[in-house]
Amino acid sequence: MRTENEGDDVLVPPRHLVFAYYVTGHGFGHATRVVEVARHLILAGHDVHVVTAAPDFVFTTEIQSSRLHIRKVLLDCGAVQADALTVDRLASLEKYHETAVVPRDSILKAEVEWLNSIKADLVVSDVVPVACRAAADAGIRSVCVTNFSWDFIYAEYVMVAGHHHRSIVWQIAEDYSHCEFLIRLPGYCPMPAFRDVIDVPLVVRRLHKSRKEVREELGIDDDVKLLILNFGGQPGGWKFKEEFLPAGWKCLVCGASEKDELPESFIKLAKDAYTPDIIAASDCMLGKIGYGTASEALAFKLPFVFVRRDYFNEEPFLRNLLEYYQCGVEMIRRDLLTGHWRPYIERAMSLKPCYEGGTNGGQVAARILQDTAVGKNYVSDKLSGVRRLRDAIVLGFQLQRIAGRDLSIPEWYADAQNELGLRSGSPKLANGTVEHVDSSHIKEFEILHGDLHDLPDTKNFLDSLADLAGRDSEKRQLREHKAAAAFFNWEEEIFVARAPGRLDVMGGIADYSGSLVLQLPTREACHVAVQVNHPSKQKLWKHALARQQDKGQGFTPVLQIVSYGAELSNRGPTFDMDLSDFLEDGKPISYEKAHKYFAQDPSQKWAAYVAGTILALMTELGVKFENGISMLVSSAVPEGKGVSSSASVEVASMSAIAAAHGLCISSRDLALLCQKVENHIVGAPCGVMDQMTSACGEADKLLAMICQPAEVLGLVEIPGHIRFWGFDSGIRHSVGGADYGSVRIGAFMGRKIVKSTASKMLSGSLSNGDIMNSHDLEDSSSELLEAEVNLDYLCNLSPHRYEASYTNLLPESMLGEKFLAKYGDHNDHVTVIDPKHNYSVKAAARHPIYENFRVKAFKALLTSAASDDQLAVLGELMYQCHYSYSACGLGSDGTDRIVQLVQEMQHGKLSKGEDTSLFGAKITGGGSGGTVCVISRNSLRANQQILEIQQRYKAATGYLPFVFEGSSPGAGKFGYLKIRLATREKAQHI
């Protein structure tokens, strides 16, 4: 990598050059920065052919030259936005598939012909993938100019889409690998497809008019404070009000509809208004982050109040750039839409923007491009496309890891993290072992209640709290750390709870059908710190205090939450609300209203898992919360891996809140309350085993539970010769995903059909039309049929009864509307049947019936004599479970590959006459990706074979799986800590 400095003039080359400049179809920001680069190329006497879908005026307003040629073609679609602030991830992939994948062959043919027809000397892309491949096919060099690439953006979307569209990321990365090198702009994302990089300054459009001239044209005096509202299209139905603005301010509105009627202080700008001039003439900007808004705010030293966009992965890097140069303040979406702008604007005006870097990136980039076009080599020792592609493949999977916890983190992403300062979680060595914990800060707390249980992660968490207390301000650089440090009163008591994730050894999705399950608490856990203060003493964030003052109701209790690690997944790191928002006419609001409340801002939807526990306590136990609550959430349980990250957050949050309010709730009852949070407030139709394991589990023991609804049978000791592992497939799992919900509905449909059939058999009214094979209806006792008529849980139907009487009566699948017409409701209170959806019924119903039997057999075998046969049968039961998941439609390529690797290792050793240490594997939890559980001997050879499978999986996919090993106590066993920062005198004696 090299850096090109500012200040170099564009050099006139020996000959006239032709550039083909491709512009992505995502927004105007890319087009506006292309304008600046193209302008300098044209000033040097070259022709520039711009391939774009943007309106002509974006280019012709700034460039009036016959050397500018505009060709209106859309070759990619960027990110499809549901509204001005939300990206529709699946729709983005679908649109890209339709725009760039389906017509790929015809696109390449057309572009090669066109490039040859204009005799292009160089292809420039910002940042259209197929342009690089077309250039290579035409024998023309290509260069990309950008701060992000679409393989980075789409990689996270692919995780959500499951197995759909995964090839898109690989194809994009391969296309980029044909690029000569990357001209990288500030605020860049990791872009491993480009191994040769030249950094340039900010690309910023020049000013046409002075601040005074702009204000005179608008009729605004120089001493009037101006806010520019710049969202590139306003949220639909948004009504502005005078009280949104601080007193004496005016607001310039970009992109307003001609039909919009604005208050007196809001001024509608023309559609083709030249935004850089307006920005430079303003005192503050309110908008969404994009490269254009960020670069111009920095260049013109304009305070920028920004609202987070959901699911656009470029944003955290630009946000960091703004905040590093004291130019940015984040506003939560709720306050944007309700007009609570004043405290954010006032905070922004207190900033002192300090960017002093170059702003002539367009000029510098143009010089590099023309030098490249005439044959100058800007890079040496160029790596092959295959090598670049291998690194790019790593990207798609690595995006879903937890910070600081994976093995062999690629250098490119580690470097990016170091620049952002985003490392969090427990420290780990390269081999995955926990570092020695420095307990130097733990002595700064008086532990008034509880026990650390010698847990390294708990010691680390207390250490991080000590850092927040102000003894080391250098460690409070992230906004989440600053926010947490600001809301705790360190002289008062703080309550800490801890809850682990869980590894689903056996049982899985059969929990919602009443199965026996066997679950192991993970070593990874979530910690939550809670402090309760009287409203008059609660330390509030400035915008929360301003909101309270605006209501004029005096001091009222406020809930404030900070979530560590939020930035890595582009979530809002903070959340706050008045606790009165949970009340309506003095009573708790419904769970349905709470679900809608949290769903209105996707970037803060995570808060439902935490704040929802408070509403559950209010609703189910009648708890009244009269004091303010401050909560810090720090979880090392990775998201989307199928190891119950959500349950650990819910259980730790409710445990800490209960401790802080003196509530005595049994672990079982607490787990059931947390399940209500996930089912009804979050809206995920999970069973109860996740919360029960997190609350009731114990280290190195399997929690045996019958989910009817939550009967704990006890703890099963894991024999000393057996060990369980978890393999993360890298494919994101979501219990709220459509596949899981559809399978659950199919199972409940099956139960309803069984009950209906049994009722007809008992009454003798079963018609011939209902019988597929009459000989299957053997004589059944009335007692059995009566029990099946009243079947509460599908798992209470034994496999032999299912085979004898019902297997041929259940349809393979059934349309929702047909089921509703024939059977009415499916009697599941957490899912809703879609009349137009075709549900798999037979496989979904069969799975829990047989899984319950498999789990019972597994539990019995664990206590039998140790032998190879014991291990072989345990492994076989796990394999059967895995393939039953697949029959339900809950498998995935990644999890199937891990199971296949285990089988190859197992049978390969046996065929060579060698002893095997691996015996079985299965997908876990809700399926459709996530983690695979593996059973092995507890031996050094098993460790070696696990590491070998890890490396084989990486060789096949490019992703190095995180391996879960070890265990830790559940929240009930841990209890809670009550701590207080010690005075310096006491700290010396602790």
Side-chain angles (χ1 to χ4, degrees):
M1 182 195 79
R2 47 179 298 198
T3 300
E4 292 296 315
N5 296 320
E6 59 177 305
D8 296 321
D9 294 329
V10 175
L11 302 177
V12 179
R15 62 182 176 86
H16 166 263
L17 298 171
V18 176
F19 293 87
Y21 211 139
Y22 288 81
V23 188
T24 187
H26 180 75
F28 285 177
H30 297 266
T32 56
R33 72 187 183 201
V34 166
V35 167
E36 188 63 15
V37 179
R39 184 176 69 85
H40 284 283
L41 291 172
I42 289 172
L43 284 175
H46 308 306
D47 276 47
V48 179
H49 295 256
V50 177
V51 183
T52 181
D56 288 2
F57 76 83
V58 175
F59 302 93
T60 56
T61 301
E62 180 67 6
I63 304 174
Q64 295 88 35
S65 171
S66 60
R67 295 187 180 279
L68 173 67
H69 313 272
I70 300 176
R71 176 172 171 246
K72 304 304 282 292
V73 177
L74 179 64
L75 297 180
D76 71 354
C77 61
V80 176
Q81 296 192 200
D83 56 45
L85 295 172
T86 305
V87 172
D88 187 326
R89 294 172 287 181
L90 187 55
S92 297
L93 294 172
E94 295 281 1
K95 185 67 174 177
Y96 187 88
H97 180 77
E98 174 188 326
T99 305
V101 176
V102 173
R104 179 176 173 82
D105 291 343
S106 60
I107 287 174
L108 285 171
K109 181 180 178 182
E111 294 311 301
V112 170
E113 291 177 355
W114 177 74
L115 289 171
N116 288 327
S117 71
I118 65 169
K119 296 180 172 58
D121 294 290
L122 186 70
V123 171
V124 189
S125 180
D126 186 354
V127 62
V128 180
V130 75
C132 303
R133 175 57 185 268
D137 289 352
I140 303 169
R141 300 170 77 184
S142 64
V143 175
C144 285
V145 183
T146 187
N147 66 304
F148 75 86
S149 56
W150 287 113
D151 53 338
F152 178 82
I153 303 299
Y154 286 156
E156 193 267 343
Y157 301 176
V158 167
M159 298 297 175
V160 176
H163 64 278
H164 304 291
H165 304 301
R166 192 170 308 156
S167 61
I168 285 177
V169 174
W170 313 150
Q171 186 63 69
I172 290 174
E174 184 182 27
D175 285 347
Y176 286 147
S177 74
H178 294 285
C179 176
E180 192 86 6
F181 59 87
L182 166 69
I183 296 177
R184 188 168 63 180
L185 306 178
Y188 57 84
C189 306
M191 292 181 280
F194 307 99
R195 293 304 302 268
D196 299 309
V197 174
I198 301 173
D199 285 313
V200 299
L202 287 173
V203 175
V204 181
R205 289 178 289 176
R206 62 176 177 166
L207 297 179
H208 292 170
K209 299 175 183 177
S210 67
R211 172 187 171 96
K212 181 178 180 181
E213 289 172 329
V214 172
R215 284 178 170 253
E216 285 178 352
E217 288 184 2
L218 294 172
I220 298 172
D221 293 338
D222 191 58
D223 59 347
V224 173
K225 295 294 184 183
L226 267 184
L227 174 74
I228 176 171
L229 192 71
N230 190 6
F231 278 95
Q234 312 311 327
W238 197 359
K239 301 297 182 183
F240 300 112
K241 297 180 181 179
E242 292 284 351
E243 57 264 31
F244 287 9
L245 302 174
W249 279 66
K250 290 187 179 294
C251 180
L252 306 176
V253 182
C254 300
S257 168
E258 295 179 0
K259 299 178 182 179
D260 290 343
E261 294 185 7
L262 303 182
E264 184 178 351
S265 296
F266 288 77
I267 301 169
K268 192 182 303 182
L269 292 173
K271 291 282 187 183
D272 59 351
Y274 189 60
T275 310
D277 287 348
I278 306 295
I279 290 175
S282 301
D283 298 286
C284 185
M285 177 161 56
L286 171 57
K288 63 185 179 184
I289 294 180
Y291 183 83
T293 52
S295 62
E296 286 163 1
L298 289 167
F300 306 135
K301 292 184 171 59
L302 186 76
F304 185 4
V305 178
F306 57 84
V307 181
R308 188 182 299 254
R309 279 188 294 177
D310 305 312
Y311 315 127
F312 198 70
N313 301 341
E314 169 196 23
E315 194 166 281
F317 299 87
L318 293 173
R319 188 165 64 238
N320 180 73
L321 191 67
L322 287 167
E323 293 176 347
Y324 182 82
Y325 290 109
Q326 301 182 46
C327 199
V329 172
E330 180 175 354
M331 174 189 285
I332 61 176
R333 187 179 305 189
R334 184 173 73 249
D335 286 341
L336 170 74
L337 299 178
T338 58
H340 190 63
W341 298 0
R342 179 175 55 81
Y344 297 97
I345 296 172
E346 291 174 350
R347 165 64 180 147
M349 293 304 293
S350 71
L351 298 178
K352 297 180 180 179
C354 58
Y355 180 75
E356 300 292 345
T359 58
N360 67 334
Q363 181 185 33
V364 176
R367 180 175 63 80
I368 296 170
L369 293 173
Q370 70 174 19
D371 287 351
T372 304
V374 297
K376 180 176 178 180
N377 287 320
Y378 265 83
V379 294
S380 60
D381 192 26
K382 188 172 68 173
L383 299 173
S384 69
V386 174
R387 173 80 176 274
R388 297 181 192 176
L389 176 58
R390 187 197 66 187
D391 290 335
I393 289 174
V394 175
L395 167 65
F397 290 108
Q398 285 290 354
L399 290 179
Q400 293 306 312
R401 62 183 185 78
I402 37 175
R405 301 300 303 273
D406 286 80
L407 312 179
S408 300
I409 296 169
E411 182 181 353
W412 57 265
Y413 201 46
D415 290 344
Q417 268 199 312
N418 290 334
E419 291 170 17
L420 281 174
L422 289 180
R423 293 203 178 277
S424 62
S426 303
K428 284 229 169 176
L429 298 174
N431 62 2
T433 58
V434 180
E435 289 181 8
H436 170 71
V437 178
D438 179 5
S439 302
S440 60
H441 285 330
I442 296 176
K443 65 182 182 181
E444 297 193 22
F445 285 105
E446 293 181 78
I447 299 180
L448 308 175
H449 174 87
D451 184 0
L452 296 179
H453 295 272
D454 200 31
L455 291 166
D457 59 345
T458 301
K459 295 175 183 178
N460 282 330
F461 182 69
L462 294 185
D463 192 59
S464 71
L465 286 179
D467 289 337
L468 293 179
R471 306 284 166 86
D472 190 352
S473 60
E474 290 298 317
K475 295 186 178 181
R476 294 208 307 268
Q477 296 304 313
L478 284 178
R479 283 181 302 139
E480 57 197 39
H481 294 166
K482 294 178 181 178
F487 73 5
F488 279 134
N489 184 338
W490 297 104
E491 284 70 42
E492 301 296 331
E493 296 170 349
I494 295 174
F495 294 81
V496 176
R498 177 191 184 278
R502 67 98 188 94
L503 179 64
D504 167 34
V505 175
M506 287 292 287
I509 59 167
D511 65 340
Y512 55 64
S513 293
S515 178
L516 172 68
V517 297
L518 298 173
Q519 306 295 306
L520 179 67
T522 63
R523 181 176 61 187
E524 294 74 20
C526 173
H527 287 83
V528 174
V530 168
Q531 187 173 74
V532 176
N533 293 108
H534 187 274
S536 63
K537 296 182 179 180
Q538 187 178 15
K539 297 171 70 175
L540 297 178
W541 296 320
K542 290 182 180 179
H543 67 270
L545 179 61
R547 184 176 64 237
Q548 193 172 84
Q549 292 171 343
D550 289 345
K551 290 183 177 180
Q553 299 174 350
F555 296 110
T556 57
V558 174
L559 171 64
Q560 299 181 124
I561 308 171
V562 172
S563 173
Y564 274 3
E567 298 289 4
L568 283 174
S569 53
N570 201 21
R571 295 194 312 266
T574 63
F575 173 84
D576 64 273
M577 63 178 291
D578 296 334
L579 284 173
S580 60
D581 290 347
F582 274 153
L583 297 172
E584 191 172 68
D585 298 327
K587 297 180 179 179
I589 63 174
S590 68
Y591 289 151
E592 182 181 5
K593 286 186 177 179
H595 175 71
K596 292 179 180 177
Y597 179 89
F598 290 108
Q600 64 186 348
D601 184 353
S603 74
Q604 294 194 318
K605 189 176 179 180
W606 61 265
Y609 295 98
V610 183
T613 61
I614 293 175
L615 180 61
L617 291 170
M618 294 169 68
T619 303
E620 307 299 331
L621 300 185
V623 180
K624 297 184 184 298
F625 293 94
E626 299 176 344
N627 291 317
I629 302 174
S630 300
M631 302 181 69
L632 171 62
V633 180
S634 178
S635 182
V637 184
E639 299 176 31
K641 310 291 189 191
V643 290
S644 302
S645 59
S646 58
S648 66
V649 170
E650 293 156 356
V651 171
S653 297
M654 187 173 286
S655 299
I657 291 169
H661 290 85
L663 304 176
C664 185
I665 307 173
S666 71
S667 297
R668 177 184 182 277
D669 290 344
L670 187 139
L672 290 170
L673 288 170
C674 289
Q675 186 198 19
K676 288 183 180 292
V677 174
E678 185 139 3
N679 285 170
H680 303 297
I681 301 176
V682 176
C686 71
V688 73
M689 71 178 190
D690 299 357
Q691 290 81 7
M692 287 293 292
T693 309
S694 188
C696 306
E698 291 189 19
D700 301 315
K701 297 177 182 178
L702 297 178
L703 181 75
M705 180 181 68
I706 297 177
C707 303
Q708 300 189 15
E711 180 188 346
V712 175
L713 297 185
L715 297 164
V716 180
E717 294 279 354
I718 300 174
H721 66 288
I722 292 177
R723 189 169 187 180
F724 295 103
W725 309 78
F727 262 89
D728 161 35
S729 66
I731 298 173
R732 190 173 180 86
H733 154 82
S734 172
V735 76
D739 290 341
Y740 175 90
S742 297
V743 173
R744 176 170 176 146
I745 290 172
F748 276 83
M749 282 180 166
R751 182 177 70 111
K752 188 65 174 282
I753 294 171
V754 166
K755 293 178 66 173
S756 176
T757 302
S759 177
K760 291 178 181 179
M761 291 169 64
L762 188 64
S763 65
S765 63
L766 193 68
S767 67
N768 289 334
D770 291 323
I771 302 175
M772 296 177 65
N773 290 293
S774 58
H775 66 271
D776 287 319
L777 299 181
E778 301 173 351
D779 292 337
S780 300
S781 68
S782 59
E783 290 83 1
L784 280 174
L785 290 174
E786 285 177 0
E788 288 156 8
V789 167
N790 298 304
L791 191 66
D792 290 331
Y793 295 95
L794 200 52
C795 287
N796 290 340
L797 184 66
S798 65
H800 80 269
R801 282 295 298 159
Y802 168 77
E803 294 292 345
S805 299
Y806 301 106
T807 183
N808 289 326
L809 294 179
L810 290 179
E812 293 291 339
S813 62
M814 198 169 194
L815 197 63
E817 59 186 2
K818 183 177 179 181
F819 176 88
L820 292 170
K822 187 171 183 178
Y823 298 101
D825 192 25
H826 64 322
N827 302 125
D828 179 20
H829 63 284
V830 299
T831 58
V832 177
I833 293 176
D834 178 357
K836 302 301 181 184
H837 187 81
N838 193 40
Y839 294 93
S840 171
V841 175
K842 192 168 188 175
R846 187 180 189 277
H847 174 80
I849 294 170
Y850 277 85
E851 182 68 3
N852 187 46
F853 172 79
R854 285 189 289 264
V855 182
K856 288 180 178 179
F858 195 96
K859 178 174 178 289
L861 277 168
L862 278 176
T863 58
S864 65
S867 68
D868 286 351
D869 287 343
Q870 177 204 33
L871 286 164
V873 176
L874 289 171
E876 177 62 26
L877 291 170
M878 294 179 76
Y879 285 141
Q880 289 182 17
C881 171
H882 177 80
Y883 291 112
S884 185
Y885 262 77
S886 296
C888 293
L890 293 177
S892 74
D893 294 343
T895 50
D896 286 348
R897 185 182 292 275
I898 292 172
V899 172
Q900 181 182 356
L901 288 170
V902 172
Q903 291 176 348
E904 290 174 357
M905 181 75 71
Q906 176 187 1
H907 300 307
K909 297 291 183 183
L910 291 174
S911 66
K912 296 177 182 178
E914 301 176 11
D915 289 338
T916 181
S917 295
L918 306 183
F919 292 89
K922 62 175 279 288
I923 195 170
T924 63
S928 298
T931 295
V932 169
C933 179
V934 178
I935 185 172
S936 77
R937 294 187 196 276
N938 187 9
S939 65
L940 178 60
R941 180 173 296 179
N943 286 40
Q944 294 168 342
Q945 291 179 1
I946 288 290
L947 291 174
E948 186 175 342
I949 287 178
Q950 186 184 41
Q951 293 300 323
R952 287 186 183 183
Y953 189 77
K954 179 186 178 184
T957 66
Y959 175 67
L960 185 70
F962 181 82
V963 177
F964 296 92
E965 57 177 314
S967 184
S968 67
K973 189 72 173 178
F974 179 85
Y976 69 89
L977 299 176
K978 182 166 69 172
I979 62 175
R980 181 171 55 209
L981 195 67
T983 62
R984 294 202 178 273
E985 291 77 13
K986 287 186 176 181
Q988 292 173 358
H989 294 88
I990 293 178

